[in-house]
């Protein structure tokens, strides 16, 4: 019988190449051992008084070990960035440990407080992590948006160059095949703007397993066609050298047909077979059975079992050839066939996703890999080839610390007092245009993003002024059309980006634009605009972008049931409470144009800095008389009002002897003021408060109670104890958003808002339907005061 080495295959390369493969193989085995040991220690050795599951993914790590070893130790350069699939985080930490980037003390802290995170985290892990991953689909697409962000920074603030690769390196995503079920992945893949991003490389770990089972219908050829149709280069790495050598022998064509033709579950079952079982099962019952039987009859048992597992994702030579084919002029996907749990006793088992090695299996693995189960954290000996390679790679991948530029100053007040009738939505575009005149340095760092709604969200004037960003100049064929109001001038100096109708893409791009201050040292001020009903669709990936350090401003407009004519499907209800619940975010729902200006400028000023934060603005298309804002003319009083607006709210009407208070927000301020006037006519004096940010006020309440470090002065100015009266709150959204205000002075209260799906109709009809019209506010005030 013939036996071929699983590490050198049948290669005719010279001794040097064989030695290099042997060294990489040693490193790969050590990475497998370390990643497995981190999870083993977290679950089997570290004390766990609560008995709650710690978890980890030894099998998911094992399927990625060869791919990541090959990538880090042969392919990466300092300018490259890698998004690691969530369940392979221990593999990343193992590599960083071998490269000297991670102290040994952290290897026992996986999934413990203050230790290595469950999934890669830029913000919380102690070693180098390029992208936070963990929310399925989002980490995979993040490098796409970072590539666009880096190109924008290069074109706006100085062209970066690289002698070997464009745009200072490639952007790799290591993706599990089950992750391709996420719609966010395909929204990004098919976006037409992605086709020119040649630095994008995805590596798909095609192990054909999900959490619960072997997936019966994962069809690599179908995936290949989908990526190809989107304009991506597709490289498929199916088999390793052992199998390819068998395919080249007599009967090899039959074996290839058999393996390619069998269902995924059948192949996975072969991985669990002994050599004798393989000799019985592998030939099958077809016309090729005899040829396959004769072929494998010449193999010894070790060679046979190793060959059936010798897929391309575990073969260093096959992976090296795949990397060498990458075309840097368009995105590339490498589909690498792998075995989940490769190299572990659990390899190929259909339920190995979260399974853990037993103590006995762990000790046996140590013997197989030549390590010590009692002392698992050893590095390579200083004189070894593996240690020398680790040192060389660490030097090659060393990055210079990022020098962070200080964001330019942002004015707090443009100085204009809006008159007449206006909408808060229109105030957004006007403020951005004003910023280009008042603070051009700050305005140059503003990047707006929208999903094909630029004109309907009042960004048309801004887009006309600053242009649309593109890596190359593109001719505007409607530039000479006198009837075209919105001009689409595309070039490297543009400051607006428009994606397709895919909100997940939009907030993914916002997150990476908002992280350029920490990645590349250049702060940007990203502002994304979408219809408010779709904010919830985008909230999870936007939240994850905030978690990963991306600071941005999300504008939801138009909003609420005020969008009456559009019907219930386009009327947002839950979004006002985002600011109460979303970490790292301040929310505003301005009532007047001046409030939009002040809150937007304050939000921009908090972007692009280590202590920065994101913001969410909920705007409306309802025209409102701007004189109702009663903006103080005295400079000191105006500044006091501005600070109150930014802090969460301000008193709009104060009446000596008031016996009730109406606290309203956003588009419902006219109804609140009308209700107060009517109550006064029947002898009930009313204070009216304009709430601009429930989140800011809630943080102030928490701070007053000793549960935070926010400033609480706004509560003394907005709801002083000596003016405590029964309270009516009202907003165009869910009533719970403002219900907490009654706790400030522990007063009787009633909360009005929208609790049901909206209705189409006129504004008066819809407001009345939801009991947020003037009559309803007056009635609530009478009820709460016992009148």
């Amino acid at each position: 019988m013939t036996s071929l080495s699983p590490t050198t295959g049948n290669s005719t390369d010279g001794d040097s190449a064989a030695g290099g493969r042997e060294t990489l193989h040693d490193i790969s085995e050590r990475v497998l051992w370390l990643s497995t040991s981190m999870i083993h220690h977290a679950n089997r050795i570290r004390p766990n008084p609560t008995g709650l599951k710690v978890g980890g993914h030894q099998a998911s790590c094992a399927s990625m070990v060869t791919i990541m070893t090959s990538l880090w130790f042969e392919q990466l350069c300092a300018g490259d960035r890698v998004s690691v699939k969530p369940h392979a985080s221990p593999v990343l930490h193992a590599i960083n440990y071998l490269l000297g980037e991670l102290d040994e003390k952290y290897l026992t802290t996986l999934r413990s407080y203050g230790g290595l995170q469950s999934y890669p985290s830029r913000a919380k892990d102690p070693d180098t992590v390029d992208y936070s991953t963990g929310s399925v689909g989002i980490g995979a697409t993040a490098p796409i948006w970072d590539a666009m962000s880096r190109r924008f920074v290069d074109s706006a603030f100085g062209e970066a160059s690289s002698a070997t690769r464009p745009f200072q390196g490639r952007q790799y995503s290591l993706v599990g095949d089950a992750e391709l079920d996420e719609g966010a992945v395909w929204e990004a893949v098919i976006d037409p703007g992605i086709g020119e991003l040649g630095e994008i490389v995805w590596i798909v770990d095609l192990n054909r397993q999900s959490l619960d089972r072997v997936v019966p219908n994962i069809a690599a050829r179908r995936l290949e066609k989908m990526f190809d149709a989107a304009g991506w280069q597709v490289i498929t790495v199916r088999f390793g050298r052992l199998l390819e050598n068998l395919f080249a022998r007599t009967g090899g064509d039959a074996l290839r047909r058999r393996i390619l033709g069998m269902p995924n579950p059948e192949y996975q079952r072969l991985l669990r077979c002994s050599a004798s079982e393989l000799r019985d099962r592998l030939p099958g019952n077809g016309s090729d059975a005899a040829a396959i039987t004769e072929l494998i009859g010449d193999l010894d048992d070790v060679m046979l079992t190793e060959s059936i597992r010798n897929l391309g994702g575990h073969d260093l030579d096959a992976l090296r050839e795949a990397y060498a084919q990458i075309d840097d002029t368009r995105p590339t996907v490498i589909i690498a066939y792998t075995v989940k749990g490769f190299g572990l006793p659990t390899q190929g088992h259909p339920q190995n996703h979260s399974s853990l090695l037993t103590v006995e299996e762990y000790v046996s693995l140590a013997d197989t890999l030549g390590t010590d189960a009692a002392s698992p954290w050893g590095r390579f000996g200083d004189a070894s080839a593996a240690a020398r390679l680790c040192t060389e790679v660490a030097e090659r991948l060393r990055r210079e610390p990022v020098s962070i530029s200080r964001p330019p100053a942002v004015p707090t007040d443009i100085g204009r007092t809006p008159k007449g009738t206006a909408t808060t939505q229109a105030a957004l575009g006007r403020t951005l245009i004003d910023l280009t005149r008042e603070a051009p340095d700050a305005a140059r760092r503003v990047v707006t993003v929208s999903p094909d709604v630029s004109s309907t969200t009042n960004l048309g004037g801004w887009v006309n002024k600053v242009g649309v960003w593109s890596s190359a100049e593109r001719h505007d064929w409607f530039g000479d059309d006198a009837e075209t109001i919105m001009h689409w001038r595309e070039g490297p100096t543009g400051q607006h980006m428009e994606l397709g109708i895919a909100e997940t893409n939009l907030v993914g791009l916002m997150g990476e634009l908002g992280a350029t201050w920490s990645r590349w040292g250049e702060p940007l001020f990203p502002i994304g605009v979408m219809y408010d009903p779709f904010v919830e669709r985008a909230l999870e990936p936007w939240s994850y972008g905030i978690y990963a350090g991306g600071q941005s401003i999300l504008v939801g407009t138009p909003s609420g049931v005020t969008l009456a004519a559009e019907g219930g499907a386009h009327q947002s209800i839950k979004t006002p409470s985002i600011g109460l619940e979303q970490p790292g975010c301040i929310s505003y729902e301005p009532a007047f144009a001046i409030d939009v200006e002040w809150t937007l400028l304050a939000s921009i000023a908090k972007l692009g800095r280590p202590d920065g934060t994101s913001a969410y603005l909920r705007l409306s298309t309802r025209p409102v008389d701007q004189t109702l804002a009663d903006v103080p003319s005295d400079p000191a009083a105006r500044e006091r009002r501005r600070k109150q607006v930014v802090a969460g709210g301000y008193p709009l009407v104060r009446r000596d002897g008031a016996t009730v208070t109406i606290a309203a927000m956003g588009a419902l301020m006219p109804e609140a003021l009308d209700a107060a006037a009517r109550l006064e006519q029947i002898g009930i004096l009313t204070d009216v408060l304009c709430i601009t940010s429930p989140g800011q006020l809630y943080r102030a309440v928490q701070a007053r109670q000793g549960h935070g470090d926010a400033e609480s002065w706004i509560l003394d100015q907005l709801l002083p104890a000596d003016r405590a009266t029964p309270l009516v709150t009202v907003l165009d959204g869910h009533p719970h958003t403002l219900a907490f205000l009654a706790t400030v002075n522990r007063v009787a209260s009633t909360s009005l808002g929208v609790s049901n799906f909206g209705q189409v109709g006129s504004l008066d009809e819809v407001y009345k339907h939801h009991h947020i019209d003037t009559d309803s506010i007056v009635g609530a005030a009478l009820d709460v005061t016992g009148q």
Side-chain angles (χ1 to χ4, degrees), residues 679-761:
L679 287 167
E680 189 166 343
Q681 290 174 2
I682 58 176
I684 300 176
L685 299 179
T686 306
D687 284 347
V688 180
L689 308 180
C690 182
I691 307 301
T692 56
S693 176
Q696 291 284 68
L697 296 181
Y698 186 74
R699 280 184 275 273
V701 170
Q702 291 287 91
R704 178 177 281 184
Q705 297 173 349
H707 302 310
D709 56 4
E711 295 181 351
S712 60
W713 60 266
I714 186 61
L715 299 178
D716 298 324
Q717 295 186 12
L718 192 64
L719 292 161
D722 61 358
R723 298 191 67 89
T725 66
L727 179 67
V728 176
T729 65
V730 59
L731 74 154
D732 185 359
H734 199 281
H736 84 88
T737 308
L738 297 179
F740 73 92
L741 291 178
T743 68
V744 175
N745 291 316
R746 295 184 174 88
V747 297
S749 69
T750 186
S751 297
L752 305 180
V754 182
S755 302
N756 299 306
F757 288 113
Q759 298 288 333
V760 69

Side-chain angles (χ1 to χ4, degrees), residues 428-597:
L428 169 70
R430 185 162 53 246
T431 301
L432 291 176
I433 292 174
D434 286 344
L435 189 65
T436 63
R437 293 189 291 265
E438 298 295 323
D441 289 343
R444 185 66 189 93
R445 294 183 181 267
V446 171
V447 189
T448 55
V449 188
S450 69
D452 195 33
V453 293
S454 302
S455 57
T456 54
T457 55
N458 281 95
L459 283 183
W462 161 261
V463 173
N464 283 344
K465 186 172 184 62
V466 302
V468 178
W469 182 83
S470 172
S471 59
E473 293 285 349
R474 294 177 181 169
H475 184 71
D476 178 11
W477 293 101
F478 288 88
D480 58 352
D481 187 337
E483 296 184 8
T484 298
I485 299 174
M486 187 171 177
H487 298 287
W488 211 252
R489 294 180 293 102
E490 297 180 82
T493 62
Q495 292 178 243
H496 177 75
M497 296 180 174
E498 185 158 295
L499 304 177
I501 304 177
E503 286 78 13
T504 301
N505 285 354
L506 180 137
V507 295
L509 177 56
M510 286 170 57
E512 292 305 320
L513 288 167
T516 58
W517 66 273
S518 60
R519 289 195 190 280
W520 321 116
E522 292 288 354
L524 297 177
F525 302 150
I527 301 173
V529 180
M530 68 177 67
Y531 288 0
D532 197 64
F534 307 137
V535 165
E536 290 180 70
R537 183 185 303 174
L539 188 55
E540 190 260 344
W542 187 54
S543 175
Y544 208 86
I546 295 173
Y547 169 80
Q551 300 164 11
S552 60
I553 298 172
L554 178 60
V555 179
T557 184
S559 65
V561 299
T562 299
L563 196 61
E566 294 288 342
H570 275 64
Q571 297 171 358
S572 54
I573 297 172
K574 295 178 287 182
T575 50
S577 63
I578 288 173
L580 291 167
E581 301 154 1
Q582 174 60 51
C585 171
I586 297 173
S587 72
Y588 292 105
E589 185 163 347
F592 303 105
I594 190 65
D595 299 348
V596 174
E597 177 189 306

Side-chain angles (χ1 to χ4, degrees), residues 422-425 532-533 556-576 589-591 618-624 665-671 730-734 753-754 756-773:
T423 71
T424 54
Q425 185 190 84
D532 197 64
T557 184
S559 65
V561 299
T562 299
L563 196 61
E566 294 288 342
H570 275 64
Q571 297 171 358
S572 54
I573 297 172
K574 295 178 287 182
T575 50
E589 185 163 347
R618 188 174 189 253
L619 306 182
S620 173
T621 52
R622 184 187 184 184
V624 172
M665 188 163 75
L668 291 184
M669 282 310 303
E671 280 66 31
V730 59
L731 74 154
D732 185 359
H734 199 281
V754 182
N756 299 306
F757 288 113
Q759 298 288 333
V760 69
S762 69
L763 199 61
D764 290 342
E765 291 170 330
V766 171
Y767 279 6
K768 184 175 182 179
H769 172 80
H770 292 288
H771 305 293
I772 56 176
D773 60 323

Side-chain angles (χ1 to χ4, degrees), residues 9 76 169 188 193 209 220 237 239 330 340 529 549 581 663 672 714 730 783:
L76 293 183
Q209 287 185 236
V237 188
F239 306 116
R330 57 176 174 152
K340 194 162 188 172
V529 180
E581 301 154 1
I714 186 61
V730 59
D783 289 342

